[in-house]
Every structure is written in C-alpha cells, then in structure tokens.
Amino acid sequence: MRYPDYVKQFRPKGTIVKRVNDTYYAYYATSERVPDKKYPVQIIKGLAGRIDESGFHRLSKAFVETGHIVVRECGFTNFLLKFEEEYISRRNETVKERRNLYRSMIVYLSNNSYLNDEPGTTIYSASEMIDKFHIGIPNQITAISKICEYALEELEPLKYICSVTMGNRRFESELTDAQKELLERIGIEEDEIRQ
C-alpha cells in the first residue's frame, strides 16, 4: 500500500500503519516465528497513535471521573437570555431583581437550566415570585412569549441541548435534525445557544 510522504516521515519505529477512512493510525507491532510457517507472523500489540500532515499524535488515555455527572440545559436558556434586556426594561423593580426575576422564570420553564448554578443569580421559587413580586406566572409566560415572538411550546426541542460535566471534563450534546431545523427557522447559530 502506498502512503503519503508524511506518513512515512512521521511513522514511529516498531509500528505499522493502517488507513481507516481518511485517517492513518500507527499500531505497535512485532513479528514472531511460528512453527510450520515459512514467514514470521505479525502481531499487533495496540494502537500507538494517529498520523497526519502535522506529525505523529500519541494516543493518550483520558481518565474521566464518572462518580459525579452534571447535565445542564443550555439551548432554551441561552435563547431566552437574548431577550433579557427587553424584559428588564418593562418592569419596575431594581435591575438586579428584574434580572433575577427573568432568570427565575427561565428556570421555572426549564428546571434543569444552568442558571441554577450561575454565581450571582438568585433563583426565586414560583411562590416567592408571586408573594414578593405579586406576579402571575401565566402572565409572565405570555410576556416572555410575546418578547421572543415564539410560542414556548415551539421552542421545546431547545430544552434538550445540554452540556454534560464529568469531573473537570465538559461535553456537549449532539444536535438532532429537529433541533438544527428549529435553529435555522429561528435564525440562531449553534454557538449562540451553547453555554
């Protein structure tokens, strides 16, 4: 098999190269004599790494703490946060209270929002919003719907765009076709709704 020059150049000694799709992988290999065979048999001992135009990239094992996994919604939350300033401009409380109130409404609508963990944000319960601010939750939902110009039920697929944290590693959920279609319809780029 013919390999590009960079594969020959960067291949470590004691390895063989195999191509999988458009990627070249180097494997540790040795040869051993086997009785009744004319030629030595090649034995692959494991994956060494990957080879590309910029060099050889050694395989590194990542240890991920799986004892504590945190999954937080970010798609729906970040979409609604685009309208935070407009919501704040329509209420009479202090700016900080209005911001906390709006963020509390987002958490009310999406219980797993990353705003639950946001430093400096106070999330009010539904009863606190009613008792302290004398607001009707259905009225606030209607107000948010009018500000963002979409029925909140229509935005439901955004609630499943999440980030997953395990130890010090963070992963993002892959978008479904329905989510991609919704983002295109509402004119939002994926990185705008990622945390």
Side-chain angles (χ1 to χ4, degrees), residues 10-17 25-30 42 46 48-49 51 56:
F10 296 123
R11 187 187 106 198
K13 288 187 181 198
T15 64
I16 63 162
V17 174
Y25 294 99
Y27 293 86
Y28 296 112
T30 60
Q42 192 173 58
I51 302 171
F56 172 71

Side-chain angles (χ1 to χ4, degrees), residues 36-157:
D36 302 327
K37 297 264 183 176
K38 283 185 175 182
Y39 301 102
V41 175
Q42 192 173 58
I43 297 174
I44 296 177
K45 303 237 178 187
L47 181 62
R50 177 176 54 81
I51 302 171
D52 61 22
E53 294 90 351
S54 61
F56 172 71
H57 308 283
R58 186 171 304 285
L59 174 69
S60 63
K61 292 183 180 179
F63 294 99
V64 178
E65 179 190 320
T66 56
H68 186 70
I69 299 173
V70 178
V71 179
R72 290 290 181 257
E73 175 276 311
C74 60
F76 183 79
T77 297
N78 285 334
F79 178 73
L80 289 184
L81 283 175
K82 293 180 156 302
F83 306 96
E84 184 175 50
E85 293 307 316
E86 188 172 344
Y87 180 88
I88 287 172
S89 70
R90 296 178 178 206
R91 297 206 46 94
N92 299 326
E93 297 82 16
T94 68
V95 172
K96 185 173 179 160
E97 283 180 328
R98 287 181 272 174
R99 179 166 275 109
N100 288 337
L101 184 58
Y102 185 69
R103 290 174 177 217
S104 298
M105 283 304 304
I106 292 173
V107 170
Y108 177 82
L109 294 166
S110 178
N111 297 4
N112 202 33
S113 169
Y114 73 86
L115 292 176
N116 283 302
D117 307 324
E118 193 75 4
T121 298
T122 302
I123 301 299
Y124 302 115
S125 66
S127 59
E128 282 180 301
M129 288 190 278
I130 293 166
D131 296 342
K132 185 173 181 176
F133 298 102
H134 310 290
I135 64 163
I137 303 290
N139 294 344
Q140 297 309 303
I141 293 170
T142 303
I144 292 170
S145 243
K146 284 182 181 173
I147 291 169
C148 77
E149 299 178 358
Y150 288 95
L152 297 179
E153 303 80 43
E154 196 178 341
L155 302 173
E156 196 74 20

